[in-house]
Amino acid sequence: MTSPVKAPHEAPSLDPSDWDGYRRAAHELLDACIDHLEGVRERPWRPWPADAGSRLALGPADEPVDIESVAREMVEHVLPFGSGNTHPAFFGWVQGTGNAAALLAEIVAGTMNSNCGGRDHGAVYVERDVVRWCREAFGLPDEASGVLVSGTSQATIIALAVARQRALGASSRRAGIHGGPRLTLYAGRHVHSSVAKAAELLGLGSDALRLLPLGAGGGMDLAALAEQVELDSGDGCAPFCVVATAGSVDQGAFDDLRALAAFCAERSLWFHVDGAFGAWLRLADDPWSRLTDGIERADSIALDFHKWMAVQYDCGLVLVREERLHREAFATRPAYLTSQRAGLGGGEPWFCDYGTELSRGFRALKVWSTLRAFGRRQLGASISGNCRLAGYLAELVSAAPDLELAAPVVSNVCCFGAAAALGSHAQRSAWNESVVAALQLAGRAVFSTTVVDGVTVARAAITNHRTRAHDIEDAVAGFRARLGAVRRGGAGA
Ligand SMILES: *Cc1c(COP(=O)(O)O)cnc(C)c1O
């Protein structure tokens, strides 16, 4: 008997029609990726070739191309053109190198395709374990909560939203931030730009972020902080938060976290730590590890795995000392997300209640595989090694008559350039800038630049587990050779 109900026309699924062909292409692709990684020392940044766009252009992308060809296109036309941050002579900005264990995790996570917004499944348990590990590493209590996010910029928004909510009360989620006194927050002048962005997004405005001068040790001037908080309180503002910098992006400097923790406790201010890369000095040897003393007293911490922990992009974390406040700021459960007592729809707490994202990928596995494969000890050794190399770079610079340090090295950042005696501010700025660009274009070394005391200088932030002492020596030799050339060429004169 035929059913009176007729099944609809079925479109093909997106699975490969030829699994054997797919398997072969996938194995070839994996081999190409491993070859690439093994030979990464020969693969510095290369500019994107002029004709690459036409080779890869999607156009309207109406018709299918077989997956095997797509695999070959990616290997031939995309893989060679990374930003070079995997290369051992890459020291620009603050960028991580990735690692071989997390690469494998990306394949597994991509296969599982878990949605980690919530519910009861394996990926969520892995993320909880990662959060637990971090909570313990930074000395936060068992009640602290956390969630993996795209990076410190996003983690900062979440942390400051919790701080704002604590200042205004739970009703502010409905009522908004209108009507009350102006909320103000405080940071040293070296604070990362993501904090001002967060203040803008949270409706506080970037003027609410009071930027304080730095003291002798390179951290926020505490007397100036106390004075500004007094002044604002007297002016009818409502100071609510201090953002401590644990590793400034510019010079790798640290605020005095212990002193700031005490200051915040005394005045009932939220103590947030931006430890994007610097927080990981917690895993390093002394004296660097001591720079993070006091982080265990934070109300919230924002940090990255994709910089100094060598986890593939993108991955950051926000930790919040009081889970209740974290949840209060973000939890929302419409009917279609009601939790079940049993089954896949259970598994409280759900990560979507700790941030703005509902659907979330399985970032935790690449962190888990990194921690598992290398352990706290090896990761800490790599971080300490980077600080030693920054010190070595500073020594080489100091020993070279044509170079000078632009700032003392505190952790892993070294800023330097042409010696002051060689030319004016403007000349040296132009030379330093052109040498940095020349070294990048030659594939020799990647420094970025910053401005210290009005001079554009080269800046190395060493967060690279592949860098050896000879890479530093070679980069300095390259810098000096090109500096000589631009000076003789009269560039910037
Ligand atoms: C990189 C960085 C940020 C921003 O982090 P993203 O992961 O790039 O969003 C914030 N603060 C500091 C100190 C940083 O180095």
Side-chain angles (χ1 to χ4, degrees):
M1 205 183 83
T2 54
S3 161
V5 181
K6 202 165 163 290
H9 167 75
E10 284 180 327
S13 93
L14 305 182
D15 281 331
S17 50
D18 168 14
W19 281 103
D20 286 335
Y22 176 73
R23 188 183 300 273
R24 269 193 306 279
H27 283 226
E28 277 168 27
L29 178 142
L30 183 58
D31 273 335
C33 289
I34 295 171
D35 287 346
H36 182 94
L37 204 55
E38 191 182 2
V40 83
R41 186 166 274 284
E42 276 68 58
R43 296 187 171 89
W45 168 74
R46 279 205 273 156
W48 182 244
D51 64 342
S54 58
R55 262 185 281 144
L56 287 174
L58 277 172
D62 285 330
E63 297 306 323
V65 172
D66 61 282
I67 299 182
E68 292 78 0
S69 306
V70 175
R72 270 193 302 277
E73 284 178 335
M74 290 194 285
V75 167
E76 283 171 31
H77 303 313
V78 180
L79 184 59
F81 301 104
S83 64
N85 51 333
T86 49
H87 190 271
F90 186 101
F91 316 116
W93 305 277
V94 188
Q95 298 200 13
T97 51
N99 75 80
L103 168 60
L104 301 184
E106 296 261 71
I107 297 174
V108 175
T111 306
M112 292 170 74
N113 192 35
S114 305
N115 182 341
C116 299
R119 293 162 285 267
D120 195 342
H121 54 102
V124 165
Y125 288 91
V126 174
E127 183 159 349
R128 281 191 200 141
D129 195 33
V130 164
V131 171
R132 175 207 53 84
W133 186 90
C134 293
R135 189 169 66 216
E136 289 173 8
F138 291 102
L140 293 193
D142 290 349
E143 311 82 74
S145 47
V147 62
L148 293 173
V149 292
S150 54
T152 293
S153 300
Q154 179 64 20
T156 302
I157 292 167
I158 292 174
L160 295 185
V162 180
R164 181 187 67 176
Q165 163 103 352
R166 173 179 172 262
L168 296 176
S171 66
S172 66
R173 274 187 72 175
R174 274 175 291 108
I177 65 167
H178 315 289
R182 174 159 209 188
L183 294 178
T184 48
L185 67 166
Y186 302 82
R189 230 181 8 228
H190 56 185
V191 71
H192 192 268
S193 55
S194 57
V195 175
K197 244 192 219 186
E200 291 163 11
L201 275 168
L202 292 170
L204 310 173
S206 48
D207 283 352
L209 174 61
R210 313 298 205 207
L211 294 180
L212 300 159
L214 307 179
M220 193 192 316
D221 181 331
L222 293 166
L225 169 65
E227 209 172 292
Q228 187 68 45
V229 168
E230 285 304 307
L231 198 73
D232 287 336
S233 302
D235 259 359
C237 295
F240 80 107
C241 174
V242 173
V243 177
T245 296
S248 70
V249 64
D250 218 25
Q251 298 184 14
F254 280 69
D255 291 340
D256 182 339
L257 302 184
R258 277 199 295 202
L260 289 176
F263 180 88
C264 288
E266 226 166 76
R267 289 168 179 76
S268 192
L269 297 170
W270 186 272
F271 177 41
H272 174 71
V273 177
D274 176 355
F277 66 97
W280 294 111
L281 284 177
R282 188 89 175 169
L283 310 186
D285 299 336
D286 285 339
W288 303 293
S289 167
R290 308 310 304 265
L291 292 166
T292 70
D293 284 356
I295 200 169
E296 69 285 350
R297 296 180 65 185
D299 290 305
S300 56
I301 305 174
L303 50 80
D304 280 321
F305 284 98
H306 56 213
K307 289 174 177 170
W308 226 347
M309 289 294 268
V311 170
Q312 268 77 342
Y313 286 96
D314 48 20
C315 194
L317 173 74
V318 58
L319 286 169
V320 176
R321 180 175 216 87
E322 267 191 70
E323 193 269 352
R324 182 184 60 81
L325 292 172
H326 194 176
R327 171 180 291 275
E328 222 169 74
F330 289 102
T332 308
R333 288 299 177 85
Y336 48 85
L337 291 177
T338 308
S339 169
Q340 297 166 200
R341 241 186 297 279
L344 174 58
E348 292 285 343
W350 287 13
F351 283 109
C352 62
D353 286 338
Y354 296 134
T356 56
E357 290 168 346
L358 174 58
S359 300
R360 316 171 50 249
F362 192 4
R363 288 194 183 100
L365 192 59
K366 55 189 175 182
V367 179
W368 180 90
S369 63
T370 300
L371 296 175
R372 189 77 158 175
F374 308 111
R376 189 185 165 116
R377 187 157 340 133
Q378 201 177 336
L379 291 163
S382 178
I383 289 169
S384 301
N386 285 164
C387 292
R388 288 194 185 93
L389 286 176
Y392 182 49
L393 172 55
E395 284 175 38
L396 293 177
V397 164
S398 301
D402 48 347
L403 299 181
E404 73 178 21
L405 276 183
V409 172
V410 181
S411 51
N412 63 327
V413 180
C414 179
C415 298
F416 69 95
L422 299 184
S424 67
H425 275 39
Q427 279 174 321
R428 284 183 284 136
S429 290
W431 293 337
N432 291 336
E433 204 173 306
S434 96
V435 171
V436 165
L439 289 171
Q440 291 174 4
L441 287 163
R444 178 94 178 251
V446 173
F447 296 105
S448 55
T449 59
T450 190
V451 177
V452 179
D453 299 332
V455 180
T456 302
V457 293
R459 174 181 158 286
I462 308 177
T463 47
N464 191 325
H465 62 86
R466 300 194 174 106
T467 304
R468 307 290 96 189
H470 67 82
D471 294 308
I472 302 287
E473 292 156 9
D474 186 61
V476 170
F479 194 97
R480 296 184 65 191
R482 278 167 181 78
L483 176 61
V486 294
R487 283 177 61 213
R488 282 192 302 278

